[in-house]
Amino acid sequence: MQQILDDIAAQMALETDRGKVADYIPQLAHVDPNQFGIAVATPDGKMYTAGNASTLFSIQSISKIFTLTIALGKLGDGLWTHVGREPSGDPFNSIVMLEHETGRPRNPFINAGAIAVVDAIMMGHEPKETLGEILQFVHFITDDESIRFDHKVAASEMAHKDRNASLAYFMKSFGRLKHDVDKVLGVYFHQCSIEMNCQQLASAGLYLVSNGVDKHSGVRVINEHRARRINSLMMMCGHYDGSGEFAYRVGLPGKSGVGGGILTIAPGKGSIAVWSLGLDHIGNSKLGLKALELFVQETGWSVFAE
Ligand code: GLU
């Protein structure tokens, strides 16, 4: 495993076309785009890393896995009245389908869906309490209390909130959001601003590798059926309108973020986190996808084969 990761990191270092940094969040554009990290956590407690695997980055939409998990824990199947579970085939910030579907977003991983999930988990709580709950959950699944929000990134998103605010007001006009739009967006931008490195992220994914059980503590995070369903949603919707391409090239459930990270789950085998800042035209990490494609070729890890 270590050899595979070292080879991938060496190959990624040679890549010249590293994609485009998401400059619509100006704070993200301050990061050096020449970095690449990969980490693999396995259920027996091992961690393998290569490249910049201990550099912190903005996990952005990868956080939507964690809020979905919290929401399913709180609302159970009631969550599906707030948000659907079909792939959208649209960009991450698209408003198009919302009108056809009366303000109910297609799935929890497009921005509108994640905003609806935040509204659902707030359930009358103050934004600070909800943020505390999200961070506590991340600390629990990583066994690492050093993980924090990056308030500068959250503020940068709030300052450039127009598209996400439009999605939120549009949903609110259909009576879909219960809370004040700015409060919901404040929570959403902070959850996206969580900073983690590849090692922490790989470790966070282990409960989805092991049927919902947190391997650090042996405690069940979510029941087996829900863990399986979150993995299905990641497979179908985890890369926006690039989800089909990701399933074709990687063949594992995954979730990307515009900070250049991707968390990928190989059920029963391991959790793989990759990070490289530059994105492809859809908004998924360009080298991250390439590295994962090499990784599955070398390991044979796939949900479609033994
Ligand atoms: N915070 C980002 C946004 O709302 C998340 C997008 C992403 O990571 O795909 O635009």
Side-chain angles (χ1 to χ4, degrees):
M1 179 61 77
Q2 189 57 52
Q3 190 60 54
I4 291 174
L5 299 194
D6 288 340
D7 289 349
I8 291 174
Q11 217 165 310
M12 292 305 119
L14 300 176
E15 291 285 337
T16 47
D17 182 3
R18 306 182 77 86
K20 193 176 168 302
V21 178
D23 50 10
Y24 79 98
I25 306 175
Q27 192 65 23
L28 290 183
H30 297 162
V31 183
D32 172 11
N34 290 312
Q35 304 180 79
F36 169 83
I38 184 164
V40 178
T42 55
D44 58 4
K46 296 207 175 77
M47 175 73 73
Y48 306 88
T49 66
N52 305 99
S54 53
T55 306
L56 293 173
F57 61 90
S58 191
I59 68 167
Q60 290 294 320
S61 283
I62 301 170
S63 64
K64 295 172 185 173
I65 303 171
F66 309 137
T67 43
L68 172 64
T69 305
I70 295 170
L72 283 170
K74 281 191 164 186
L75 285 86
D77 283 342
L79 178 66
W80 305 119
T81 59
H82 300 256
V83 63
R85 42 181 197 250
E86 291 293 340
S88 73
D90 278 330
F92 67 101
N93 56 4
S94 174
I95 202 164
V96 174
M97 270 183 195
L98 272 182
E99 178 153 31
H100 287 297
E101 297 177 354
T102 60
R104 179 173 171 263
R106 280 235 131 181
N107 67 64
F109 292 150
I110 51 173
N111 285 8
I115 292 167
V117 168
V118 166
D119 184 69
I121 59 178
M122 282 173 76
M123 284 198 301
H125 291 290
E126 283 304 311
K128 269 203 170 148
E129 293 167 329
T130 307
L131 283 174
E133 189 177 3
I134 295 169
L135 203 54
Q136 201 176 2
F137 177 78
V138 172
H139 289 169
F140 170 62
I141 55 172
T142 52
D143 200 19
D144 186 338
E145 296 201 352
S146 70
I147 296 168
R148 302 251 175 284
F149 298 115
D150 181 336
H151 296 286
K152 278 193 185 155
V153 168
S156 187
E157 275 210 76
M158 192 52 115
H160 298 83
K161 67 179 178 181
D162 299 0
R163 178 68 75 104
N164 285 315
S166 306
L167 297 173
Y169 278 115
F170 201 62
M171 288 189 281
K172 186 137 181 144
S173 74
F174 284 101
R176 297 280 180 187
L177 294 190
K178 302 283 171 270
H179 301 88
D180 177 72
V181 163
D182 267 345
K183 286 189 175 173
V184 178
L185 288 179
V187 174
Y188 170 70
F189 292 143
H190 275 86
Q191 86 170 55
C192 288
S193 82
I194 292 174
E195 277 194 309
M196 289 168 87
N197 59 37
C198 288
Q199 294 187 49
Q200 291 166 328
L201 200 53
S203 167
L206 276 177
Y207 73 99
L208 294 172
V209 173
S210 306
N211 298 321
V213 174
D214 172 39
K215 283 283 168 176
H216 301 288
S217 57
V219 172
R220 180 164 288 289
V221 177
I222 196 162
N223 76 38
E224 188 182 334
H225 302 291
R226 289 206 180 124
R228 205 185 303 166
R229 287 170 175 160
I230 292 171
N231 283 336
S232 310
L233 285 162
M234 287 168 71
M235 176 67 93
M236 299 303 295
C237 319
H239 291 79
Y240 311 117
D241 41 343
S243 299
E245 181 75 2
F246 190 83
Y248 181 80
R249 286 171 60 184
V250 178
L252 292 170
K255 180 77 205 85
S256 65
V258 292
I262 305 177
L263 176 59
T264 306
I265 306 299
K269 296 193 168 72
S271 162
I272 311 118
V274 290
W275 171 61
S276 169
L277 194 64
L279 309 178
D280 61 18
H281 66 288
I282 289 171
N284 300 310
S285 174
K286 186 157 186 150
L287 295 195
L289 177 54
K290 217 169 200 176
L292 286 167
E293 193 174 18
L294 287 173
F295 178 84
V296 297
Q297 273 166 22
E298 290 303 316
T299 57
W301 289 8
S302 169
V303 294
F304 299 111
E306 282 193 333

